[in-house]
C-alpha cells in the first residue's frame, strides 16, 4: 500500500512540475547570453536561472534578478526581442 501511495504521489508531483500549461514546443527561446535584467553575462554570477512567462523563456544571472524583473513584468518582457 505504501508503494502505491508513493507512486501516486510521485506521478502527481511530476504532472505539476511542468511549465504551467505551456508546452515547451510553444515557448520562445531566450537567445541572448546576457541577463534579462542587468545585462550581466549569463554564468558570471553562478548558474543562470531560467523562467518561462506565458510563452517567453527568460534567463537571469542570479535568483535575486527574478524578483526585480517581476516587479515590472510587462515592461521588462516587452524589452526582450
Amino acid at each position: 500500500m505504501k508503494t502505491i501511495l508513493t507512486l501516486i504521489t510521485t506521478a502527481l508531483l511530476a504532472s505539476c512540475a511542468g511549465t504551467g500549461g505551456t508546452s515547451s514546443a510553444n515557448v520562445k527561446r531566450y537567445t541572448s547570453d546576457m541577463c534579462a535584467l542587468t545585462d550581466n553575462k549569463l554564468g558570471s554570477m553562478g548558474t543562470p536561472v531560467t523562467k518561462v512567462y506565458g510563452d517567453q523563456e527568460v534567463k537571469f544571472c542570479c535568483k535575486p534578478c527574478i524578483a526585480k524583473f517581476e516587479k515590472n513584468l510587462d515592461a521588462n518582457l516587452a524589452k526582450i526581442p
Side-chain angles (χ1 to χ4, degrees):
M1 183 68 172
K2 185 175 180 180
T3 303
I4 293 172
L5 289 175
T6 302
L7 290 173
I8 292 171
T9 302
T10 302
L12 288 172
L13 289 174
S15 69
C16 294
T19 58
T22 303
S23 167
S24 61
N26 298 330
V27 173
K28 296 176 197 167
R29 295 289 169 211
Y30 185 79
T31 57
S32 176
D33 64 345
M34 306 300 276
C35 175
L37 184 71
T38 64
D39 289 329
N40 288 338
K41 180 119 174 117
L42 293 175
S44 66
M45 304 287 288
T47 303
V49 181
T50 303
K51 294 228 11 172
V52 176
Y53 299 95
D55 65 350
Q56 179 64 58
E57 177 183 69
V58 182
K59 293 187 180 185
F60 303 96
C61 62
C62 60
K63 287 183 181 180
C65 283
I66 296 169
K68 294 174 187 173
F69 185 88
E70 290 175 348
K71 283 183 180 178
N72 200 0
L73 184 60
D74 292 333
N76 286 324
L77 284 173
K79 294 176 188 176
I80 297 173

